[in-house]
Amino acid sequence: MKKTFIVLLLIAGSFVNSFAAEIHRTDYSDASNWLSKPAKNLYSADVFYIYPTVCTTEDKSNLCSVDNQQMREAAKSVFKLQAEAFDTVADIYAPLYTQYNFRAFEYSNYERIQRDTLNNVQGLSDIYGALDYYFENLNQDRPFILVSHSQGSAVMLVVLSDYMKKHPEYYKNMAAAYVIGYPVTKEYLKSNPHLKFAKKSDDTGVIISYDVQAPDKSGINVLQAKNQLVINPLNWRHSQRLVKADKNLGSLDEQTLQITTPGIADAKVNKKLGVVICSTADTAKYEIKLPKLFGSGSFHGQDFQFYFLNLRENAKVRIDKFLSR
């Protein structure tokens, strides 16, 4: 198998910056470099999770390395809010990886973030190295689901378009990819004909993506793109019909970690914007407090929590369908 850093230099091409000279191979045989690495398998499928932006340090490079303690602790908290939606249906593997801090994306836009993602060659090297180790030592040819959010989803799109394309022997076992909180565009799929977007609740080998906002969302949104695709997390359809909150199986409160049933959030697809509109959640309480990135009225930080049990149930449906083949 090719060395990870060689593969990534080919991916990044002209985007490689001076940071590339400092690339090192993170040792993923070391359990301390994993946010989650089960000691034994309890389920018939796995989740491979890439966490969103949790780095808040003021490093001049705008990067948090794998050994950054602040990032490690913050990633643990976000893991509970996102990845644990799947903890009753799959064994969850989650590597620590080098990522940008919040400040790096201020006043940015989708196109620049795509370039920056490729420019974080160390971060991509980390994820590719973790995938290599996972598939060679841990997966044992089991079906798996990819799960990510925000910056993690920007990285996941590289994984899907490059790593999985180069490794069809792994890709054939992908039950689904929940690429949440980051645009998956028509252009991206056209450029990657081996990938397809979900059309219903039980299709397999597909990408699932959405981002949530209030009806009165205003101001900047650095993760807005033209022609982005979206699916409703309450009925797993593209229809713009409102699905009421009584169809929400349960929402997670990030303060108490308690689940409210039925959930607090309704959902309606807005195809023009490529987002899910939620009208039942208190905007002042739940909007993400990063106005330089998301303006006002964005529920980006609640993409998983609002639809926590629906994500869990849908993952089980897709895994069962995959296994039934």
Side-chain angles (χ1 to χ4, degrees):
M1 181 174 291
K2 294 181 180 180
K3 296 297 185 183
T4 300
F5 72 90
I6 294 176
V7 175
L8 287 167
L9 288 175
L10 291 174
I11 298 170
S14 62
F15 297 121
V16 178
N17 62 14
S18 59
F19 185 62
E22 303 172 24
I23 294 174
H24 66 276
R25 287 181 62 87
T26 301
D27 181 9
Y28 286 101
S29 67
D30 183 348
S32 69
N33 289 325
W34 291 84
L35 183 61
S36 177
K37 183 174 175 285
K40 62 180 181 179
N41 295 128
L42 299 178
Y43 301 100
S44 57
D46 298 335
V47 160
F48 189 95
Y49 168 71
I50 305 179
Y51 53 85
T53 308
V54 294
C55 171
T56 60
T57 59
E58 296 295 323
D59 189 278
K60 290 182 180 179
S61 69
N62 280 346
L63 287 163
C64 276
S65 62
V66 168
D67 60 359
N68 183 282
Q69 196 59 36
Q70 179 274 316
M71 181 186 72
R72 284 174 171 252
E73 292 303 314
K76 289 179 184 177
S77 297
V78 172
F79 183 91
K80 293 180 180 295
L81 303 178
Q82 297 185 349
E84 288 191 1
F86 306 91
D87 67 359
T88 64
V89 297
D91 298 298
I92 305 174
Y93 294 87
L96 292 155
Y97 73 102
T98 301
Q99 70 165 207
Y100 290 109
N101 62 26
F102 283 103
R103 188 181 59 185
F105 301 121
E106 289 183 358
Y107 306 112
S108 189
N109 57 50
Y110 167 70
E111 288 77 14
R112 179 179 170 183
I113 292 171
Q114 285 187 300
R115 293 194 298 269
D116 287 345
T117 300
L118 290 172
N119 214 23
N120 179 13
V121 183
Q122 181 62 62
L124 290 173
S125 174
D126 291 338
I127 292 297
Y128 273 50
L131 285 164
D132 287 346
Y133 183 81
Y134 165 72
F135 283 116
E136 292 169 9
N137 299 280
L138 304 172
N139 173 257
Q140 300 177 345
D141 206 36
R142 290 146 49 85
F144 64 90
I145 284 177
L146 300 176
V147 178
S148 59
H149 187 244
S150 201
Q151 182 176 174
S153 288
V155 174
M156 191 65 84
L157 289 184
V158 180
V159 170
L160 286 163
S161 64
D162 183 77
Y163 188 93
M164 290 302 164
K165 184 177 181 180
K166 287 183 169 72
H167 292 285
E169 73 277 20
Y170 304 150
Y171 179 54
K172 67 180 175 62
N173 284 334
M174 189 187 85
Y178 292 82
V179 186
I180 309 299
Y182 192 81
V184 178
T185 66
K186 293 179 181 179
E187 290 76 14
Y188 173 81
L189 291 182
K190 185 176 181 180
S191 298
N192 295 283
H194 64 289
L195 302 174
K196 55 186 177 180
F197 200 81
K199 294 181 179 180
K200 54 184 182 177
S201 63
D202 66 347
D203 44 2
T204 59
V206 295
I207 297 173
I208 298 102
S209 185
Y210 63 85
D211 196 31
V212 191
Q213 65 183 48
D216 57 351
K217 168 79 178 74
S218 63
I220 191 173
N221 183 351
V222 298
L223 297 184
Q224 189 71 45
K226 293 180 179 179
N227 297 320
Q228 65 186 56
L229 300 170
V230 59
I231 198 165
N232 190 314
L234 292 185
N235 67 358
W236 308 104
R237 297 285 183 178
H238 298 281
S239 166
Q240 297 189 95
R241 179 178 64 86
L242 171 67
V243 182
K244 295 181 179 180
D246 61 5
K247 300 298 183 183
N248 189 319
L249 300 178
S251 301
L252 179 71
D253 186 295
E254 64 182 32
Q255 300 300 320
T256 65
L257 299 183
Q258 298 298 307
I259 295 175
T260 300
T261 55
I264 66 171
D266 64 2
K268 182 179 180 180
V269 164
N270 182 316
K271 288 185 178 180
K272 182 178 180 180
L273 296 177
V275 300
V276 165
I277 304 296
C278 170
S279 64
T280 55
D282 183 343
T283 301
K285 179 178 180 180
Y286 290 108
E287 69 177 348
I288 190 167
K289 308 298 183 183
L290 291 171
K292 293 180 180 179
L293 301 178
F294 298 103
S296 63
S298 171
F299 295 135
H300 181 71
Q302 300 292 325
D303 286 336
F304 282 75
Q305 295 94 299
F306 276 179
Y307 310 107
F308 199 77
L309 291 190
N310 289 80
L311 284 164
R312 176 175 292 175
E313 189 266 347
N314 185 247
K316 185 178 187 306
V317 167
R318 294 184 195 275
I319 290 170
D320 289 347
K321 180 68 173 293
F322 187 91
L323 291 170
S324 72
R325 298 189 315 180

